[in-house]
Amino acid sequence: PVAQHSFFSPSFSYLPHCTNFGKYFPLTNEQAAKSAEQYLSFSSFSRQGLIDQLMYEGFTQEQAEYGVTQNGY
C-alpha cells in the first residue's frame, strides 16, 4: 500500500518529473495543464513535443492535448 503523504497530492510541484506517474495514479486534465505549464517554465517545446512529453509521463492523448491547449499551444 502507498502511504498517504503530500508527495502523492495532485498539487505536488514536481509531478512532471515522476516518470510514468499516471500508470499508478489517475491523472486529470487539470494536472496535464499544470504539468505543461511547468515544463514550459524551464524549457521550450513544440506543440507535438510537449504532447509527446506529457504522454510519456502517463497522460492520455486527450489529456495531453488539453494541457497543451490550455497553455496557448
Side-chain angles (χ1 to χ4, degrees), residues 15 21-23 25-29 31-32 54 57-60 63:
L15 180 62
F21 192 85
K23 283 177 30 181
F25 300 95
L27 297 171
T28 66
N29 286 352
Q31 287 171 308
L54 292 173
E57 295 298 332
F59 292 99
T60 66
Q63 290 169 327

Side-chain angles (χ1 to χ4, degrees), residues 9-10 25 28 32-33 39-40 45-48 52 58 60-61 68 72:
S9 166
F25 300 95
T28 66
Y39 274 115
L40 291 171
F45 285 84
S46 66
R47 175 180 169 78
Q48 188 59 52
D52 291 344
T60 66
Q61 175 83 30
V68 169

